[in-house]
Amino acid sequence: MPCYSIDGVVPVVHPSSHVHPTAVLIGDVIVGPGCYIGPCASLRADFGRIVLHEGVNVQDSCVIHGFPDSETVVERNGHIGHGAVLHGCIVRHDALVGMNAVVMDEAEVGAYSIVAACAFVRAGLKLPEKSLIAGLPAKVMRPLSEDEMRWKLEGTETYQRLSERCHASLREVAPLAEPEADRPRLQVQGPQTLVASKRQ
């Protein structure tokens, strides 16, 4: 994985975490146990510290950064969707930040909350726990149901298992010219989409 020190400060990655080889970690980054950092994620702690607690996933193309002396923190079981941007903020435990959402400086996403895809959480906004947050600018839409919070946790656990799968079997290979006749399907246990789960 590309890791870079700056001013003598070296990133820290727990051995049980998986950081994709195309992700970049710079400076004062601390990645706790059981985390997953996806392809092309950028954790650039050349101004302020970045801390990922146990079981966090930061998916493809996410950007995490902050102002000087700031601390960007994702607490235990935090779930950061594809393309999200976190800047000098706190994501409390078991919260989800959706795809392409932006959470700005000194904002705080409450525990168990879900920030919807493409939401913009303005600087300094303190959001309550167990809430659905959406919009530009983001606002609290309603409380989350127990089923929605359970669904989020199942998704996070799927990424925690993905970190283990990557340690066990992710390898760089040359592509095949065509699919095999008996090509296997991936046998992955995890939640359905939220839309599909509501149809049942």
Side-chain angles (χ1 to χ4, degrees):
M1 80 188 84
C3 278
Y4 301 90
S5 67
I6 189 166
D7 299 336
V9 180
V10 178
V12 176
V13 178
H14 192 277
S16 64
S17 289
H18 169 75
V19 179
H20 191 273
T22 62
V24 178
L25 278 57
I26 298 173
D28 195 6
V29 178
I30 302 170
V31 177
C35 293
Y36 172 86
I37 312 297
C40 301
S42 174
L43 283 66
R44 186 162 65 86
D46 46 12
F47 291 163
R49 176 171 290 174
I50 295 169
V51 181
L52 307 183
H53 291 191
E54 181 178 2
V56 166
N57 69 80
V58 175
Q59 297 173 21
D60 319 54
S61 301
C62 289
V63 174
I64 304 180
H65 193 242
F67 278 103
D69 295 323
S70 68
E71 196 161 289
T72 307
V73 178
V74 183
E75 293 184 346
R76 177 179 48 82
N77 292 338
H79 190 110
I80 312 302
H82 314 288
V85 177
L86 306 181
H87 204 276
C89 59
I90 298 175
V91 177
R92 294 293 180 197
H93 69 87
D94 294 281
L96 180 152
V97 176
M99 298 179 222
N100 290 313
V102 176
V103 184
M104 292 298 293
D105 304 279
E106 298 185 38
E108 186 175 316
V109 177
Y112 301 101
S113 287
I114 293 177
V115 175
C118 298
F120 179 81
V121 178
R122 64 175 171 77
L125 185 63
K126 308 299 185 200
L127 294 161
E129 64 179 29
K130 300 180 180 178
S131 300
L132 175 64
I133 295 129
L136 258 92
K139 61 182 180 180
V140 177
M141 308 304 285
R142 60 172 173 80
L144 288 175
S145 69
E146 291 296 324
D147 283 344
E148 288 168 324
M149 288 186 283
R150 190 177 308 112
W151 172 84
K152 181 270 164 195
L153 181 57
E154 288 174 6
T156 301
E157 289 170 344
T158 302
Y159 270 92
Q160 291 165 351
R161 290 191 296 273
L162 177 58
S163 184
E164 296 169 1
R165 290 170 58 212
C166 288
H167 277 292
S169 68
L170 184 71
R171 305 289 181 267
E172 187 171 1
V173 296
L176 302 174
E178 58 184 46
E180 312 95 307
D182 58 349
R183 185 174 179 82
R185 288 219 177 238
L186 293 169
Q187 302 297 312
V188 180
Q189 298 297 314
Q192 299 176 306
T193 67
L194 198 51
V195 173
S197 67
K198 288 181 176 179
R199 281 198 296 263
Q200 295 178 343

